[in-house]
Amino acid sequence: MTFIKSYGRAKTVVPVRMFVCSFSSLLLSLLLRRYKVFLLLPIVYISSMLLFMGVDLLPRAKKFDHVAVVQPGSIYRSPQVFEHLWPAMQMQNSSSSSGIMAAWQYPNKGDVWSYCIQQEGHSEGLPMSNGYLIIEANGGLNQQRSSICNAVAVAALLNATLVIPKFHKNSVWKDTSTFGEIYDEEHFVKMLENDVRIVKKLPDDVMENIGNLSNIFHMKIKAWSKPSFYLENILPKLFEKGIIRIAPFANRLSFDNIPSKIQQLRCRTNFEALRFAESIFNMGEVLMKRMIKHSSISNGKYMAVHLRFEEDMVAFSCCTYDGGEEEKKEMEAARERGWRGKFTRPGRVLTPGFYRIDGRCPLTPMEVGMMLRGMGFQNSTPIYIAAGKLYKEDKYMLPLRQMFPHLQTKETLLSEEELAPFKRYSSRLAALDYTVCLNSEVFVTTQGGNFPHFLAGHRRFLNKGHAKTIRPDKRKLALLLDNPTIRWEVFTKHLMAMHRQNDVKGHELRKLSSSIYEYPAPDCMCSQNIKQPNT
């Protein structure tokens, strides 16, 4: 075990870099003599890039039981970077232009995509049902959404009657909302009536025969199961039992080897059948109109940022920020509450420095602000923040508000009375955020997950195939934010390149095993080739 005395950079960094560079050159010259060792070239290249960008190859120190134990990776230096870059940001402040209007300017190589699914229906009605399918949708709002779409697809595949899905309440989301309190049940059934039978509950005579729901045959299925598995293993049980229950059901149907009609049915369910319940739909419209009104400087166009810096997200990431011992105790307690024993089992080693340099840490509001300013969005940009209760909000939101004073949330746009019916329900609050984010000119995702994946796909559906979404390269961003003396010109150069990459990749098509909910083209959208003007 190696020990050092402080958190500062080791004085031997420069000699070590010189030694590593010399050693790498020597090693490369030797390895090139044998063709098989070309497999090692990527490792040499990455090491050289890390040295060039100013990342210490020496591990950093972390205090543990009164000694400093060497840890790899990067520590949280963003406050120092912000302090260093803030004067340059202030010089570029503008009250007349937000950059929203020019956010998306790169051509899509002549392909414009449009939604083109035709509802076929059955001239003689649906065939006789093979039985009833009951599923339990687990997770948050959009994981449940995935379960619903997949359940409709499986019901059609098995020619089963789908019972309106039940929602599972878990220890993190703690939401007791039912399907009908989140989505418009009547609209859901009506939109899919020509594709699959859907009932709100089991008929009374069926319930009399089974006696109790616990008597229903329960099946557990592996994630990403293929249609062939359902036809060969589930369908015979459905014939035998008449009713089957599958729980949990998240991600229980693959995205590949799916019949085209079933794939398109998933899209129709997601984009047409799943409409928010009236109370959510109406309040979402109010929120969106007020956000547009607050965005007059950019002709009603605004940016929406999905900020994943809630306590449970920070705790689950096992990353460390600048809260010291207090933060450490709070995060340990939060992990134990939400995932009892998961992070303290024998042999589990947490390496927050590695998580940060690997791009796994949730971005703080300050880091999001620096990223956006580096991409060219100025302080006049109207921004809507989609988030739950942020960890130490007063502390971490202050720098973001400094960089973007025209910032709104559902709490600032709605009165206490308007927000009250939604406050105790995380999924209903998420549905309000979803509505505002869906209709923004720019959507920024900071941590991944089902919420941004579904939004990116839904935005492609609405915007001719372009997601109009910024998904930062968090590994590269971690390197930039690890240098407290980085120059503003260098910082902005890297961030603007990152933004251009997001624009170019906005028209991405679905690749093998990718989610059809995130990439609806080409399975559920048709290409309309157009000529680009001569340049």
Side-chain angles (χ1 to χ4, degrees), residues 386-414:
K389 181 174 174 53
L390 298 177
Y391 175 60
K392 294 191 175 179
E393 181 174 352
D394 292 341
K395 171 186 175 181
Y396 285 108
M397 281 295 290
L398 184 61
L400 179 59
R401 293 186 184 278
Q402 282 181 258
M403 288 180 273
F404 293 99
H406 299 277
L407 188 149
Q408 304 290 339
T409 66
K410 49 187 173 293
E411 288 79 12
T412 61
L413 293 172
L414 298 178

Side-chain angles (χ1 to χ4, degrees), residues 367-476:
E367 290 172 325
V368 173
M370 285 193 287
M371 176 188 77
L372 295 176
R373 289 302 296 267
M375 288 180 175
F377 296 101
Q378 297 176 335
N379 71 329
S380 56
T381 304
I383 294 180
Y384 178 84
I385 296 293
K389 181 174 174 53
L390 298 177
Y391 175 60
K392 294 191 175 179
E393 181 174 352
D394 292 341
K395 171 186 175 181
Y396 285 108
M397 281 295 290
L398 184 61
L400 179 59
R401 293 186 184 278
Q402 282 181 258
M403 288 180 273
F404 293 99
H406 299 277
L407 188 149
Q408 304 290 339
T409 66
K410 49 187 173 293
E411 288 79 12
T412 61
L413 293 172
L414 298 178
S415 67
E416 282 287 337
E417 292 76 20
E418 289 172 319
L419 199 56
F422 307 90
K423 263 197 167 179
R424 293 183 294 110
Y425 304 97
S426 59
S427 290
R428 300 183 205 184
L429 290 171
L432 294 178
D433 281 340
Y434 189 98
T435 302
V436 185
C437 292
L438 182 63
N439 294 281
S440 64
E441 180 65 14
V442 178
F443 173 63
V444 182
T445 169
T446 62
Q447 185 61 18
N450 289 298
F451 187 96
H453 290 169
F454 267 83
L455 264 168
H458 208 153
R459 289 169 65 80
R460 286 188 170 97
F461 167 73
L462 295 177
N463 297 310
K464 299 180 180 179
H466 197 312
K468 292 190 175 183
T469 295
I470 293 174
R471 181 182 283 112
D473 181 340
K474 292 177 65 179
R475 289 187 180 93
K476 187 171 186 177

Side-chain angles (χ1 to χ4, degrees), residues 177-195:
S177 298
T178 63
F179 184 100
E181 289 170 326
I182 301 292
Y183 298 106
D184 185 334
E185 280 190 352
E186 301 299 331
H187 178 79
F188 179 72
V189 174
K190 180 70 177 175
M191 287 300 299
L192 299 171
E193 63 182 359
N194 293 327
D195 301 289

